[in-house]
Amino acid sequence: MKSIISFVIRYIPRKYLQLVSHFFLRVLAIFYKGHDVMCNVCDHQFRKFLPYGRKARENALCPNCLALERHRLMWLFLQEKTNFFNGKLKVLHIAPELCFIDRMDSLPNLEYITGDIESPLAKVKMDVHQIPFEDNSFDVVFCNHVMEHVDDDILACKEINRVLKNDGWGIIQSPVYDLENTIEDKSITDPAERERMFGQRDHVRKYGNDYAKRLSKSGLNVKEDRFVKTLEETKIQKHALPVNEIIFYCTKG
Ligand SMILES: [Zn+2]
């Protein structure tokens, strides 16, 4: 099982995988019946979550809504630390994650817009280097697992900063490694070499501990929030949350 999952996610982009995997996972969910873990994104309970990842991690993927550890953490963060569920907010969700789309779209307090350069899941076709909205348009912008793929991450962040309202906020997550500095080399274009250097065939850099500082060069204020460290162990176990994930909470600079 683990090796099949590793193989499939290595060669099929997640956004396409999400479209076809739903039915398959619903069937699998029968074998994961139980009450030991609970997905706080969709409120379903299981014996455990499915393994997921290139080197498959146990207890990661919700068979019902496809939320991963990081999605469950972000959802909890939104619930506990933001006005996302009660503010009257205009939201831009770049490269929207399937597990969030329907749930966010149905929240009555939101004007919810999804955008992506190629994902069939998004409504607006857009390039994050040139966001097709006016300055000061959005109360909230989400842009997760995008920056490691784009040519110019600082320009992309400048664009997010531009379209945020003065009191707007955003979350910009990326895979961050325990390196002093981000590794980037624009001369590396071969997918196999990119995989070796940056961790995946379509990544153009590998972020280190300077991630927040680097994105801040765009003008955005980027704060590292170690929210998961403030949670009780029972909650972390129940939702299988990622204990080392930092939430990168941004405000307009
Ligand atoms: Zn779920």
Side-chain angles (χ1 to χ4, degrees):
M1 170 63 85
K2 276 170 103 174
S3 58
I4 294 170
I5 290 174
S6 299
F7 177 82
V8 170
I9 62 179
R10 182 166 181 182
Y11 291 103
I12 306 174
R14 184 172 153 83
K15 54 189 167 249
Y16 298 115
L17 203 59
Q18 286 176 332
L19 286 176
V20 295
S21 54
H22 242 117
F23 174 75
F24 175 65
L25 288 169
R26 288 276 158 90
V27 175
L28 261 183
I30 296 164
F31 300 99
Y32 281 76
K33 251 180 105 123
H35 300 281
D36 300 306
V37 296
M38 186 195 133
C39 174
N40 56 305
V41 177
C42 69
D43 291 335
H44 280 65
Q45 300 193 41
F46 306 96
R47 182 166 57 80
K48 60 179 181 176
F49 295 114
L50 290 164
Y52 186 86
R54 300 159 55 71
K55 285 183 194 144
R57 309 182 299 278
E58 288 290 348
N59 202 28
L61 179 76
C62 172
N64 181 63
C65 74
L66 306 185
L68 289 167
E69 305 97 318
R70 64 173 186 264
H71 303 126
R72 294 190 291 273
L73 182 68
M74 179 170 138
W75 195 255
L76 199 61
F77 179 87
L78 293 176
Q79 287 173 322
E80 296 198 0
K81 295 201 68 175
T82 74
N83 61 346
F84 188 72
F85 294 91
N86 46 41
K88 196 168 159 38
L89 305 171
K90 186 169 173 181
V91 178
L92 176 62
H93 193 171
I94 300 166
E97 298 94 332
L98 184 64
C99 62
F100 291 148
I101 294 174
D102 288 349
R103 277 166 194 87
M104 290 183 177
D105 203 25
S106 65
L107 287 172
N109 60 311
L110 303 183
E111 185 184 338
Y112 179 66
I113 297 167
T114 54
D116 193 274
I117 197 160
E118 55 174 10
S119 171
L121 300 172
K123 283 190 192 137
V124 178
K125 191 171 170 62
M126 55 157 266
D127 181 349
V128 71
H129 297 98
Q130 202 172 0
I131 298 177
F133 292 99
E134 289 181 10
D135 301 2
N136 308 307
S137 302
F138 293 96
D139 300 288
V140 179
V141 176
F142 298 133
C143 186
N144 297 326
H145 287 243
V146 169
M147 293 302 163
E148 70 275 24
H149 298 274
V150 304
D151 283 345
D152 189 338
D153 53 343
I154 310 300
L155 175 58
C157 287
K158 269 186 193 162
E159 279 292 276
I160 291 171
N161 194 46
R162 180 183 66 76
V163 300
L164 271 178
K165 291 182 187 172
N166 285 339
D167 57 352
W169 56 272
I171 293 178
I172 306 179
Q173 300 298 105
S174 295
V176 172
Y177 296 80
D178 191 16
L179 305 165
E180 195 179 334
N181 291 305
T182 294
I183 301 170
E184 183 181 48
D185 182 346
K186 301 228 184 221
S187 71
I188 298 173
T189 53
D190 173 53
E193 188 58 10
R194 280 182 168 174
E195 180 173 16
R196 196 179 72 75
M197 287 296 292
F198 310 132
Q200 203 169 298
R201 300 171 77 83
D202 57 351
H203 286 182
V204 298
R205 64 186 67 80
K206 187 174 196 173
Y207 287 115
N209 296 321
D210 59 339
Y211 179 71
K213 203 171 128 200
R214 179 183 169 100
L215 298 194
S216 299
K217 287 183 199 158
S218 65
L220 265 178
N221 300 311
V222 185
K223 189 183 129 203
E224 298 182 355
D225 191 323
R226 289 171 171 79
F227 171 60
V228 71
K229 304 287 186 202
T230 67
L231 301 173
E232 285 181 14
E233 188 56 34
T234 48
K235 200 170 208 172
I236 293 172
Q237 300 282 342
K238 189 77 187 171
H239 305 314
L241 301 174
V243 290
N244 293 317
E245 180 102 349
I246 298 168
I247 304 260
F248 295 94
Y249 180 84
C250 309
T251 50
K252 188 173 177 105

